[in-house]
Amino acid sequence: MEATMAGIIKDNVSPDTWMWLQQFKKLPNDYSALNTAFMIIPRKTGKSAVDVTIDPFKNWTIDRLCRVWLLLQWDTTDKDKYYQTIDSLFLSAEMNESVALYSALPFLAYPEIWIKRCAEGIRSNIGSVLEAIMYNNPYPSVYLDQAAWNQLILKAFFTEKSVPLIIGLDERANKELAQILSDYARERWAAGRKVNPTLWRLVAGFIDNKIFEDIKIGLTHDDMAEKEAIALAISESGFEPAKQWLSNIPELKSIVSDKALNWDKVSIN
């Protein structure tokens, strides 16, 4: 991945900037040098979008990519010093620096030592920082415990992020999260607000009597996109009372029976 990054960077910066970056290859940990380079990268590279279609870099800016690449150049031999050096950047980071740091989580050495830092990032109120943690970032789904993962997903819905861009949605779905989201849906309805249809994707495998009562409320609303999502969730569940209920709603049953709907289509609505 480091070689891939280097190739993208070389194609997106001037020769002079590329030469400047080379001085940082494989240097010993020196917080002062790292901090200085990390801060001034945008002045050297600019902030234009990276011209590439490779995930996860296709929506990155060149300064973000160069900052992540820079972090990969630091010596990892001494675990404690490595952690202290990079964690110090987290503590002093401004918004764009934070975006780069959280984007770097999948690439940093000793991935287990960054779990707490990732969980703390979920509490951020800065949209771009949350998106760096959530969007096309494999780190949270691999390393966060269930409580932190569930918090991330709820925060994504609460802040109206593009939930389908979160890696591991289906693999990390769990009963506790399904109940949390079902309760959240009821709160939204009580306030007269719509519910993101993608929410029901994470509830589908865990429908029980309690969640079914919530689902019945959703099916009384006029939001067709949400009703279709609920119908799709029911069709994927193993809860027979809900399936029987669905069979009494012909317009929704036919959509599911004809397999005209899937979660990719739901997420577009």
Side-chain angles (χ1 to χ4, degrees), residues 205-239:
F206 307 94
I207 296 175
D208 57 15
N209 284 313
K210 186 176 185 303
I211 291 176
F212 183 35
E213 292 305 312
D214 294 342
I215 281 175
K216 290 178 183 178
I217 298 173
L219 290 175
T220 66
H221 294 163
D222 295 329
D223 187 340
M224 193 61 187
E226 184 178 354
K227 290 167 72 172
E228 289 178 350
I230 291 174
L232 183 56
I234 290 173
S235 73
E236 292 184 354
S237 79
F239 193 68

Side-chain angles (χ1 to χ4, degrees), residues 17-201:
T17 299
W18 177 245
M19 287 292 294
W20 176 78
L21 287 168
Q22 296 312 291
Q23 69 181 296
F24 301 108
K25 290 187 68 174
K26 306 305 178 187
L27 292 178
N29 286 339
D30 178 341
Y31 175 70
S32 178
L34 176 59
N35 186 48
T36 299
F38 201 74
M39 286 193 299
I40 69 173
I41 273 179
R43 280 182 261 162
K44 296 287 187 178
T45 65
K47 298 181 180 181
S48 60
V50 173
D51 183 17
V52 69
T53 59
I54 302 171
D55 281 333
F57 310 122
K58 63 183 179 183
N59 294 315
W60 288 19
T61 56
I62 187 60
D63 57 311
R64 178 179 177 181
L65 180 59
C66 287
R67 278 172 163 156
V68 173
W69 177 86
L70 178 68
L71 296 176
L72 301 189
Q73 306 312 308
W74 251 247
D75 181 29
T76 63
T77 305
D78 186 329
K79 181 178 178 179
D80 289 339
K81 186 175 182 181
Y82 176 78
Y83 171 78
Q84 291 167 6
T85 300
I86 294 180
D87 193 59
S88 294
L89 294 179
F90 274 103
L91 294 173
S92 63
E94 51 85 45
M95 181 184 70
N96 291 322
E97 293 170 352
S98 291
V99 167
L101 287 162
Y102 283 109
S103 299
L105 288 178
F107 311 109
L108 297 178
Y110 311 108
E112 72 285 349
I113 67 177
W114 309 109
I115 294 173
K116 182 178 178 181
R117 180 59 63 191
C118 181
E120 290 175 352
I122 297 167
R123 295 196 288 271
S124 173
N125 292 318
I126 301 174
S128 58
V129 172
L130 289 173
E131 290 167 8
I133 298 170
M134 295 173 179
Y135 291 177
N136 299 310
N137 188 336
Y139 186 91
S141 66
V142 174
Y143 292 102
L144 290 183
D145 64 21
Q146 182 169 293
W149 172 258
N150 290 353
Q151 182 187 17
L152 180 147
I153 298 300
L154 182 61
K155 186 72 172 278
F157 282 110
F158 187 78
T159 56
E160 300 183 344
K161 299 303 179 190
S162 182
V163 177
L165 294 180
I166 300 174
I167 293 174
L169 279 182
D170 299 316
E171 295 81 0
R172 295 282 323 251
N174 61 83
K175 186 175 182 61
E176 181 182 352
L177 176 61
Q179 188 60 67
I180 290 170
L181 294 178
S182 185
D183 291 342
Y184 172 69
R186 289 191 71 139
E187 292 173 4
R188 298 276 298 183
W189 293 328
R193 305 178 72 182
K194 292 185 176 181
V195 171
N196 183 333
T198 302
L199 178 148
W200 301 106
R201 172 180 175 178

